[in-house]
Every structure is written in C-alpha cells, then in structure tokens.
Amino acid sequence: MMEKREQTKMEVTPRGGFIVVVDYGMGNLRSVENALSKLGYLVVVSRSPQLIKKAHGVILPGVGSFRDCMENLKKHHLLFPLREFIRTGRPFLGICLGMQVLFTESEEFGKSGGMNLIKGKVRQFSQNEQMKIPHMGWNTVQIKKKSPILRDLQEGTYFYFVHSFYCIPDNQEVITTTTDYGVEFASSIWKDNILACQFHPEKSQEVGLRVLRQFTQLCEKC
Amino acid sequence: MLARRIIPCLDVMNGRVVKGVNFVNLQDAGNPVENARVYQEEGADELVFLDITASPEKREIMIEVVEKTARKVFMPLTVGGGVRNLGDIRGLLKAGADKVSINTAVVKDSSLIQRASRRFGKQCIVVAIDAKRVDDPPNLSWEVYIYGGRTPTGIDALVWAERVEDLGAGEILLTSMDRDGTEAGYDIELTEAVSHLTGIPLIASGGAGTLRHLYDVFQYGKADAALAASIFHYRKYSIIQAKEYLRKKGIVVRL
C-alpha cells in the first residue's frame, strides 16, 4: 500500500512486525529510532494512521510542552488512530511527554486536557535551591510492581530523566516504579497494554536498551 | 536521588577531535564517534561536542558527526559551537543531538533563547557562558566573553545568568576562562554564585586537573554537573576512577 512521502519515509508497508514511532513534531525521535534499529527491530517513524493501524507496537515519544503536544496530536489527526490502536490490545509505549499526555489533565498553563487513558493529573515540580528544574540527569527507580518491560529490573537502577512535570495517577495500582525528586513520583506505569515511562530508555545506555528490547519482544508476540 | 553528572567534552574541528589549551595550541587526537563510544563504556553521564570549526561551509561535517554518534551512543548528547539561529538548532536536534549549547548568538540577540525554548522545549536549550574575573578588588565579579573567549562584552556574568534563566534557558554551561586549560581547579566562587542565583541545572567547566577538583566543584561550587576534557582525554583518570573517588567522598554518582 502506498503512503504519501510527507507522511512517512517508507513508501511500502513493511511485511511482518514493525513498530511505529509516532512523528508529530515533538522532540528527538532519532534516538528512539536509532535504539530500536540497533536492537534489530524494524521501526518506522511516521504519522500515518494506516501504518499505526497495522503496527505491532506503537511508541509515543516526546519532550516539551503538554499543550503543544496535544495540539500537535490533534492537528495531525492522531488522537483517534492512537485510541483505536490501544483498543486492539497491542503494546503501546509512552515516553516522557508521551506518558504525560495519556493522563486526564495537566496543570501546565492553567489546565490542559489530555487523552484520559489513565485517570489522573500532571503537576509541576516546585523549584527550590536543592531542586533545580527541569529534573535533569540520572536518577534511581524504586520498584512497586514488575511490568512486562521491567521484568529483570534491579532496585535502584539509574535512568536518564529530563522533565519539569510529573504524573499522579488516581489509581496507585498502575504505578510500576517511583522516583524521588523532592516528591516521590510515578516514574513508570502499566495498565493493560499501555506501558509508559517518565525516563528516557533511549538515552539510558544499556539499562534503557534492555527496556526497549523487552518492549520489542512484547510486539513480536502480537 | 539525582546523581551529579560527569560530562566529558570533546572539541571537534573539521570532524576530528582536538583538545585546546587556553583556546590555542590545538593537537589532533582522534575520531569523535570512537571517543564517544569509549566514554559511554566508561559510564559518562552525558557527552558534549564543541564544534570549533572555523569556516561556516565546513559545518555540515558536524551534522554528520552527530548523526554517526547518535547511532552508536545512547546517552544525552549536547552540541555547541557556532550555533547562530533556529535553523542551526533544528539541524543539530534533527541529526540526533539532545541539547544545543549557544553562547555568542544569544548575547548578541537574547530573544533567541526565548524563541528557541518555545519552539524546541527549554530542556534542549543550554546557554553557555564564558566568564572571566574582573580585576577590581575588593569587588568580586566576572565578565561575559564571546567569540570563543576573544571578545569582552561588558556584561556581568551573574546578571546574565539570571537573565538567561528568565528567558527560558533549560541549563547553563558555565566556563571559567581564567581556569580553562590550566588544570588548577574550577572557579568555585563563580560556580557557587551562579548556582545560588539560578534554579536551572548548572554544568561547571574549566580547570579540572585532579579528582579533588571534581569533588570541590560539587561540594562547594554546588554544580549539578562537571565538564572536563583533558583529564579524561589524555587518560590521566578514567571516568570510573573519578566516580569511585567521588562516591567514597559522599557525592551521589551513578556507578
């Protein structure tokens, strides 16, 4: 099936399993693509609803502002295809801002509505002399619950973070790890086929690649 | 707890790594991608490429270096040197840089900080400040220099640091020109002053010669990250050695 050039680098839908990294103009997609390619998985950076529909897994990356992110998802008509994809039960991974927009609303700029796939809100860290904002650098995670992409995770593993807002799920049961930055926040969550992490696995060297490898293994089963 | 970061810096000219001493006397020292890979294996927390290529037409080489590095290295990569406008920033981010560091261009037009952080997110906009002590005792102050340390601006470095935070910088890369290349230790007073005044992460740079210098800049300079070039580049210490030393002294590092 032919796709428009501006929609995707690939003109033909790949046979077999592939992962779509959603390209909606927010942040460094190249590193997610590079990491998955290094793991030997077929990855397509695209905003094509047709490709999202056929994907074995979808990754929503992103850094920057919550409202811009939601506006871009709307502008590129991606909200419905993403919801439909998630409804199929195939693996979905949100990274950083891609985790935050899954929530009901953010306190950024007054209030901004999110995708409401996970009930809860997104709040800003409070700045003080000890706590610089953004929360930038390597921080540890404490395990609350094993998830399919954090199966062999050691307590206290370091991941790379860069963000000024954090997620507060209404239901604590979805939290798989927490991280401490003045406040103990949900650094990764898991609900059904929705996986999400506040840290950047694609920037977290070996431990991060292991997370992405486990995600590709989930996708292979679909 | 958030770990203090150790960031090796590679000076790159025409696609090759060089190391400057007091901004002159450059020696050739290798392939940037290979250097980056070695630093990743040693557990560097981030990497900085400083492009010191003189001619603008050769800047495309840096884009290639960033692309190649981003395919091999999975840690945050900051690129600086000669970044003039939104187009330059976009080019580097698209090639795989996570952050872009800007110095001269934002001093000449500070609105670039605001425009860049709105467009690309503040987390990827690093403002580099080259500061030199003003010889006027007893009043301790520092002046901002641009064009690779060649041109004084008359701007007070502490005032400028507060201003770049207000304009939307996500991080400050602070270089002491008095200490850069001397291996006599970071300028602790300068680092502490900027860290105290601003609420965004601070990378201290210039003067690292021993592991004790790294400890001092974290403990007394209150830096969030320490940048160093020659002590790692010429294998005086490995990054692992540095982190083991810091951990023993009670500094939280990722090992």
Side-chain angles (χ1 to χ4, degrees), chain A residues 28 30 34-35 38 63-64 127 129 132-140 158 160 162 181 202-205 209, chain B residues 1-3 44-46 70-71 74-76 94 96-99 123 170-171 195-196 199-201 224 253-254:
Chain A
N28 184 353
R30 182 64 77 87
N34 282 337
K38 186 186 160 74
V63 286
Q127 198 171 39
E129 197 160 333
K132 304 284 189 79
I133 309 292
H135 172 223
M136 188 186 281
W138 296 80
N139 205 338
T140 50
Y158 277 101
Y160 189 81
V162 50
Y181 194 61
E202 78 282 11
K203 288 287 146 195
S204 297
Q205 299 177 351
L209 292 181
Chain B
M1 234 176 116
L2 184 65
D45 295 312
E46 293 188 21
R71 277 198 287 269
F74 298 96
M75 66 173 155
K94 231 181 133 196
D98 297 283
K99 301 187 248 183
Q123 78 294 327
E171 193 169 36
S195 185
H196 182 74
I200 52 178
D224 300 286
V253 289
R254 177 183 67 111

Side-chain angles (χ1 to χ4, degrees), chain B residues 4 188 214-223 249-251:
Chain B
R4 308 291 185 112
I188 301 297
L214 296 173
Y215 171 77
D216 288 343
V217 82
F218 289 132
Q219 182 69 19
Y220 305 111
K222 311 284 181 204
K249 303 266 284 178
I251 303 289

Side-chain angles (χ1 to χ4, degrees), chain A residues 1-3 8-15 44 51:
Chain A
M1 169 172 188
M2 300 294 283
E3 296 292 334
T8 168
K9 284 182 197 164
M10 304 204 43
E11 297 199 3
V12 180
T13 304
R15 290 170 193 276
V44 189
L51 280 180

